[in-house]
């Protein structure tokens, strides 16, 4: 995944700030979906793409000392300070992750979108589940993105950057609309008790989602410009738009899926 992940070469502190902002904005939704599985003490959990570690900490508190959370990421630089006895941090790619264990719950947020061969990762997650275990996945759908309200020139730049995001993913062999397709994919893979949430907030400039996208755009500006769909001026306008409380946009939709492995 390291060769595909668009944030691999980002600077340490800006990337940590971006990940922590994602946690602040999206952890409540993740908690709700994880709680719906009835996660309980003694469970064995796998967190894929653990990022800055907030969900790992949360699950560790729920499963208690007799449970365990295994947190894996291709880049564990932000997990080094986790010193919990019921947490194991492993630097690994889920597509090649080998472990002599199976799990009651596997969770991933914003992981599969970065993988051209996401099917390999998804199948591996399912393989690692115990019979009756729960898979909870949250992935974005960037096809939902569009400027709603703001100055016309700024809205045009926002839509140019949106096209650049779509093109960047396409050029890398990834699906920018993966999230919206995952429920059907999980159904085809035989998962049961499928539950789906579609969170597509209409976000004001300066709000949490807008801040996340501004941070991402600042870090990925050169990759967006390289697509030919957006200019330096578009990037600047996009970031200003995302900070302006008088603007409104849908930046993307998050599709949350929980499903049970029967056998």
């Amino acid at each position: 995944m390291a060769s595909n992940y668009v944030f691999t070469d980002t600077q340490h502190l800006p990337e940590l700030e971006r990940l922590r902002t994602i946690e602040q904005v999206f952890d409540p939704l993740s908690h709700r979906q994880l709680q719906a599985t009835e996660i309980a003490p003694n469970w064995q959990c796998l967190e894929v793409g653990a990022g800055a570690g907030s969900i790992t900490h949360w699950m560790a508190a729920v499963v208690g000392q007799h449970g365990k959370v295994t947190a894996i990421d291709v880049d564990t630089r932000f997990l080094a300070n986790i010193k919990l006895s019921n947490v194991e941090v492993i630097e690994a790619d889920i597509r090649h992750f080998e472990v002599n264990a199976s799990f009651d719950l596997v969770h991933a947020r914003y992981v599969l979108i970065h993988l051209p061969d996401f099917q390999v990762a998804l199948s591996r997650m399912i393989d690692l589940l115990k019979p009756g275990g729960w898979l909870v996945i949250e992935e974005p759908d960037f096809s939902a993105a569009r400027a709603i309200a703001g100055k016309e020139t700024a809205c045009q730049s926002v839509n140019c950057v949106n096209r650049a995001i779509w093109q960047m993913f396409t050029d890398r062999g990834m699906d920018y609309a993966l999230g919206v397709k995952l429920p059907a994919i999980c159904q085809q893979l035989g998962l049961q008790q499928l539950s789906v949430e579609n969170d597509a907030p209409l976000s004001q400039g300066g709000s949490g989602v807008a801040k996340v996208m501004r941070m991402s755009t600042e870090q990925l500006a050169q990759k967006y410009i390289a697509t030919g769909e957006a200019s330096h001026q578009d990037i600047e306008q996009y970031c200003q738009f995302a900070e302006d409380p008088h603007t409104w946009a849908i930046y993307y939709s998050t599709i949350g899926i929980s499903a049970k492995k029967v056998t």
Side-chain angles (χ1 to χ4, degrees):
M1 183 159 65
S3 62
N4 304 119
Y5 187 45
V6 295
F7 291 98
T8 296
D9 55 358
T10 54
Q11 294 180 336
H12 182 95
L13 289 178
E15 176 61 0
L16 178 58
E17 183 183 6
R18 187 186 73 89
L19 290 172
R20 285 179 172 167
T21 303
I22 288 174
E23 291 175 346
Q24 292 169 7
V25 175
F26 295 104
D27 275 8
L29 176 61
S30 298
H31 293 165
R32 187 169 74 248
Q33 293 185 96
L34 291 166
Q35 287 170 332
T37 69
E38 300 184 348
I39 180 175
N42 305 327
W43 276 30
Q44 304 291 308
C45 301
L46 176 64
E47 174 70 359
V48 181
S54 66
I55 295 296
T56 297
H57 277 99
W58 183 87
M59 289 197 296
V62 175
V63 303
Q65 290 303 307
H66 297 293
K68 182 178 178 181
V69 178
T70 302
I72 70 169
D73 204 303
V74 294
D75 182 354
T76 57
R77 56 182 157 158
F78 304 127
L79 303 172
N81 293 327
I82 296 181
K83 305 298 182 184
L84 300 173
S85 61
N86 63 343
V87 172
E88 182 179 11
V89 175
I90 301 174
E91 191 160 291
D93 182 326
I94 184 60
R95 293 171 295 185
H96 314 297
F97 182 52
E98 298 295 336
V99 62
N100 187 25
S102 56
F103 299 92
D104 299 289
L105 171 64
V106 175
H107 173 253
R109 181 174 67 193
Y110 302 160
V111 172
L112 297 180
I113 186 107
H114 295 287
L115 303 176
D117 56 346
F118 74 88
Q119 298 94 334
V120 176
L122 181 57
S123 294
R124 186 65 188 132
M125 291 182 203
I126 295 170
D127 289 343
L128 289 168
L129 281 172
K130 298 176 182 179
W134 286 94
L135 178 69
V136 178
I137 305 176
E138 300 167 81
E139 294 293 337
D141 168 23
F142 285 102
S143 69
R146 60 189 184 277
I148 304 296
K151 294 180 180 178
E152 183 178 354
T153 55
C155 288
Q156 290 172 353
S157 287
V158 168
N159 291 328
C160 284
V161 172
N162 287 339
R163 288 195 296 272
I165 293 171
W166 305 339
Q167 191 62 53
M168 180 193 70
F169 278 109
T170 300
D171 290 345
R172 289 167 172 259
M174 305 166 191
D175 188 345
Y176 66 87
L178 178 61
V180 78
K181 301 173 184 178
L182 276 176
I185 292 170
C186 288
Q187 187 179 47
Q188 291 164 5
L189 290 172
L191 295 172
Q192 301 293 316
Q193 297 185 37
L194 193 68
S195 175
V196 179
E197 291 198 28
N198 183 2
D199 182 35
L202 177 56
S203 300
Q204 184 179 15
S207 66
V209 175
K211 184 178 180 181
V212 167
M213 287 305 295
R214 175 185 59 77
M215 290 176 168
S216 296
T217 299
E218 288 173 345
Q219 293 193 60
L220 300 177
Q222 295 307 313
K223 291 182 173 71
Y224 293 167
I225 292 167
T227 67
E229 295 289 349
S231 66
H232 287 279
Q233 184 177 5
D234 290 325
I235 299 295
E236 183 178 343
Q237 290 262 33
Y238 183 101
C239 293
Q240 291 174 356
F241 181 98
E243 292 179 333
D244 183 350
H246 298 99
T247 65
W248 293 87
I250 296 173
Y251 289 91
Y252 62 89
S253 172
T254 298
I255 311 299
I257 303 151
S258 61
K260 197 170 191 179
K261 179 179 178 178
V262 177
T263 58

